Amino acid sequence: MINQALRRREFLETCIVRGLLVGAAASSQVHLLAAWEEARAKARKPTPPEDLGPFYKKGAPNTANLRVAREPGLPLRISGRILDTRGDSVHGARVELWHADQRGFYDVQGYRYRAKLALDGATDYQVETIMPGHYPDRPVQHVHYLITAPGCKPLITQLYFATDPFFEGDPEKNYAKSGLVLHRECVRPVTLLDENTSPRSAVAFDLILEKD
Ligand SMILES: [Fe+2]
């Protein structure tokens, strides 16, 4: 998208320099270029796809609070916007997410740490949950996502945490080790907060969808 915008901008600039945009006033040309500049600045790369994994389960509840009373785990808030590759907000998305508990176990009997958010009019999402644990087959903390939205391609992806010991303090260098994480962009920084007496964490993960 960005390259395409650049090519169009270069084409327009060439046309203007060569006087090929005949009939277009100079002010119109300036506005045209400004529009392309704006489009280029807003353009976003699509969120990379990752595997669905074996623990997806249909029927998760539409709830933004996944925490379970008296369950151990560092409280975690995940939030983000739903955008398309033009940088425009996407309405009507359904965001499913699921992850393991602190010990690394998925709830396959029920729906603990599973949600399907119906955003309807909203174009961003937020859930309160806990930091997932590691499990032997995939010893990297992660949250699975399945996102659908009208007019957009479905997206299956995963969120990872830069603070995970798996990355040995350097996600840039170590994200691809063992082949468990496919895309650096899915490893997000973690804000650690210590409000009053209880520590908690927060992560921002925008979801960028491709148009149909
Ligand atoms: Fe998983």
Side-chain angles (χ1 to χ4, degrees):
M1 178 67 191
I2 293 173
N3 288 340
Q4 188 179 18
L6 272 173
R7 283 196 297 273
R8 285 173 176 167
R9 182 180 184 280
E10 287 162 2
F11 172 74
L12 281 166
E13 284 179 333
T14 303
C15 288
I16 290 168
V17 167
R18 294 180 180 174
L20 297 180
L21 282 178
V22 290
S27 61
S28 300
Q29 295 170 5
V30 169
H31 287 136
L32 207 50
L33 273 177
W36 284 120
E37 289 285 7
E38 186 182 353
R40 186 182 65 158
K42 280 178 61 182
R44 302 284 300 267
K45 280 180 63 180
T47 301
E50 297 240 355
D51 292 340
L52 182 69
F55 296 110
Y56 173 69
K57 183 179 177 184
K58 288 183 179 178
N62 181 8
T63 177
N65 184 13
L66 282 68
R67 285 190 205 147
V68 180
R70 293 181 293 281
E71 277 273 315
L74 176 65
L76 169 67
R77 172 176 294 168
I78 309 174
S79 61
R81 299 170 294 171
I82 318 297
L83 302 169
D84 62 28
T85 52
R86 292 182 304 196
D88 294 329
S89 297
V90 172
H91 292 79
R94 298 283 187 273
V95 178
E96 289 189 71
L97 52 87
W98 63 102
H99 64 79
D101 66 15
Q102 190 200 28
R103 298 167 300 159
F105 293 109
Y106 285 90
D107 182 8
V108 293
Q109 305 297 323
Y111 290 96
R112 218 167 27 130
Y113 305 121
R114 298 176 183 272
K116 182 174 184 178
L117 308 173
L119 299 187
D120 298 325
T123 58
D124 54 7
Y125 73 100
Q126 179 172 300
V127 295
E128 303 289 344
T129 185
I130 61 161
M131 187 65 76
H134 301 82
Y135 55 92
D137 286 348
R138 295 198 71 218
V140 57
Q141 295 166 306
H142 59 279
V143 175
H144 294 270
Y145 281 78
L146 168 58
I147 306 105
T148 56
C152 295
K153 295 178 183 175
L155 171 67
I156 294 168
T157 191
Q158 296 183 39
L159 160 66
Y160 304 91
F161 304 92
T163 50
D164 190 336
F166 177 83
F167 299 115
E168 302 176 76
D170 192 346
E172 201 68 48
K173 176 183 172 188
N174 296 319
Y175 81 91
K177 77 175 189 184
S178 312
L180 297 180
V181 178
L182 302 178
H183 303 283
R184 171 67 181 90
E185 304 97 298
C186 295
V187 185
R188 302 296 300 152
V190 178
T191 302
L192 295 172
L193 308 165
D194 194 356
E195 292 177 340
N196 300 323
T197 56
S198 56
R200 64 183 181 84
S201 57
V203 171
F205 189 43
D206 289 346
L207 302 163
I208 317 299
L209 307 180
E210 294 182 279
K211 289 284 193 182
D212 270 339

